[in-house]
């Protein structure tokens, strides 16, 4: 899939692009069918909500789940990113966020590149965030919110919040958010399962809790230009990957047909990937 000149311009201006229904219901089903078994596993990659046993996020499923290993190589997702960066990309982070009905907690206002720079020593903001909806996203189940144009600010000051949710995050203060929103407003792309968003590593984003009876499972990926690979292994390897091998795309029908893909962590997470190096 190639982006048009107009889409590239729009990405540069707003910091994101939305592709409603990019994947078909049959393709999405292959992925959603796999999620309960992944969330049921007792492995370090499952981070649970602070209120109980409900999974908030699952890391690195592309290394131990066959359908997600194929999604990680999907040309509809990878090719536009290679086009934007003009070079090969590798998978920096792979997560399946639960945002489960009634239990899904907030994600505070933040930029992802702030963390990649501070923790992982990623040289530049040359990594793309991707969200793929596995459930419908509507105004009630905690849609992802963006401040359009906020990526133009570069890295903003942030403080490390270790108490609001079960997952520590570098968050941006409310005064800064209010100023940015005055200028850019807030948008929340909503749509059917199978929709995809591409968004800039410096785009300021957040989501509220999910008080609705509908799950909002979404896959969040970060694909980094290979020459811009991280320089420090401060976070576990299942959160910030240390394998910089360029992604080789599978054919476009890879979610519906069998293709051979490696599953190196099928029998467990290697010890050296569970801690700081
Ligand atoms: C994230 O920013 O990584 C996740 C946001 C969300 O799941 O809404
Ligand atoms: Mn984020």
């Amino acid at each position: 899939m190639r982006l048009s000149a107009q889409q590239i311009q729009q990405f540069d201006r707003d910091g994101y692009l939305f592709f409603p229904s990019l994947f078909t219901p049959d393709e999405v089903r292959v992925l959603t069918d796999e999620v309960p078994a992944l969330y049921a596993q007792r492995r370090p990659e499952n981070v649970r909500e602070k209120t109980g046993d409900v999974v908030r996020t699952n890391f690195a499923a592309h290394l131990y789940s066959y359908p997600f290993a194929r999604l990680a190589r999907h040309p509809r997702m990878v090719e536009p990113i290679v086009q934007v960066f003009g070079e090969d990309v590798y998978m920096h982070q792979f997560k399946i966020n639960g945002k489960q009905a009634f239990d899904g907690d907030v994600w505070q206002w933040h930029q992802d590149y702030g963390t990649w720079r501070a923790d992982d020593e990623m040289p530049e903001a040359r990594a793309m965030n991707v969200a793929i909806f596995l459930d419908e996203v509507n105004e009630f189940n905690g849609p992802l919110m963006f401040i359009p144009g906020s990526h133009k600010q570069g890295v903003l000051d942030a403080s490390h919040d270790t108490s609001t949710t079960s997952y520590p995050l570098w968050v941006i203060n409310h005064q800064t958010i209010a100023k940015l929103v005055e200028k850019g407003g807030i948008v929340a792309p909503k749509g059917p399962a199978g929709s995809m968003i591409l968004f800039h590593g410096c785009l300021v984003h957040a989501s509220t809790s999910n008080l609705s009876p509908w799950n909002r499972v979404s896959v969040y990926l970060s694909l980094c230009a290979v020459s811009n690979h991280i320089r420090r292994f401060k976070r576990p390897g299942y959160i910030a990957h240390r394998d910089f091998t360029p992604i080789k795309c599978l054919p476009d029908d890879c979610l519906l047909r069998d293709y051979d893909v490696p599953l190196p962590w099928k029998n467990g997470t290697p010890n050296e990937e569970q801690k700081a190096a």
Side-chain angles (χ1 to χ4, degrees):
M1 187 173 93
R2 276 194 78 74
L3 301 176
S4 65
Q6 196 229 332
Q7 283 173 313
I8 302 240
Q9 234 176 32
Q10 196 181 330
F11 177 76
D12 181 58
R13 184 191 65 211
D14 299 337
Y16 74 96
L17 287 172
F18 184 41
F19 306 86
S21 300
L22 184 70
F23 296 94
T24 66
D26 284 346
E27 290 176 319
V28 174
R29 199 168 312 116
V30 173
L31 302 166
T32 40
D33 281 355
E34 182 81 355
V35 173
L38 283 172
Y39 281 1
Q41 291 185 36
R42 295 285 147 186
R43 47 188 307 157
E45 289 90 343
N46 275 331
V47 176
R48 288 160 206 282
E49 299 285 7
K50 71 176 183 200
T51 46
D53 211 37
V54 173
V55 172
R56 174 172 178 77
T57 188
N58 161 276
F59 285 102
H62 65 307
L63 300 178
Y64 49 90
S65 157
Y66 187 50
F68 286 99
R70 290 182 284 159
L71 179 67
R73 296 165 173 82
H74 204 294
R76 260 173 265 160
M77 184 269 294
V78 178
E79 282 174 2
I81 303 174
V82 171
Q83 185 188 348
V84 167
F85 292 135
E87 67 169 295
D88 283 341
V89 293
Y90 75 95
M91 191 64 70
H92 171 62
Q93 187 172 81
F94 190 111
K95 54 195 212 277
I96 309 170
N97 283 1
K99 187 81 76 168
Q100 297 283 290
F102 302 111
D103 286 303
D105 206 352
V106 305
W107 290 83
Q108 312 93 305
W109 287 108
H110 69 282
Q111 294 172 304
D112 284 9
Y113 180 61
T115 301
W116 302 337
R117 193 176 74 168
D119 287 352
D120 307 329
E121 287 184 8
M122 183 186 285
E124 290 175 49
R126 285 169 54 77
M128 180 74 83
N129 274 325
V130 183
I132 298 171
F133 303 174
L134 298 194
D135 289 310
E136 182 200 42
V137 173
N138 57 44
E139 63 264 56
F140 306 109
N141 63 355
L144 187 62
M145 303 186 287
F146 297 131
I147 306 177
S150 55
H151 62 302
K152 300 273 190 198
Q153 303 291 319
V155 177
L156 296 158
D157 276 349
S159 55
H160 206 214
D161 179 350
T162 55
S163 61
T164 303
T165 75
S166 61
Y167 188 73
L169 207 60
W170 288 90
V171 306
I172 299 169
N173 71 53
H174 293 169
Q175 214 179 0
T176 306
I177 295 300
K179 261 205 206 116
L180 290 171
V181 170
E182 228 170 80
K183 192 160 162 231
I186 299 178
V187 297
K190 293 173 283 283
S195 302
M196 179 175 88
I197 308 171
L198 299 181
F199 63 104
H200 194 283
C202 290
L203 192 68
V204 177
H205 60 284
S207 63
T208 62
S209 64
N210 183 5
L211 286 178
S212 84
W214 305 300
N215 292 338
R216 196 226 63 182
V217 178
S218 299
V219 184
Y220 283 87
L221 314 173
S222 309
L223 285 78
C224 184
V226 168
S227 66
N228 191 50
H229 67 79
I230 63 170
R231 308 301 203 243
R232 181 159 68 155
F233 297 165
K234 184 185 162 192
R235 301 195 290 168
Y238 64 82
I239 296 180
H241 296 307
R242 299 161 184 179
D243 178 355
F244 312 138
T245 310
I247 296 173
K248 260 214 204 113
C249 288
L250 290 170
D252 193 73
D253 62 359
C254 62
L255 288 172
L256 300 176
R257 291 183 47 182
D258 283 348
Y259 289 95
D260 202 22
V261 284
L263 293 179
W265 296 6
K266 182 124 188 65
N267 297 319
T269 318
N271 274 341
E272 65 277 13
E273 302 279 357
Q274 297 192 33
K275 43 186 194 278

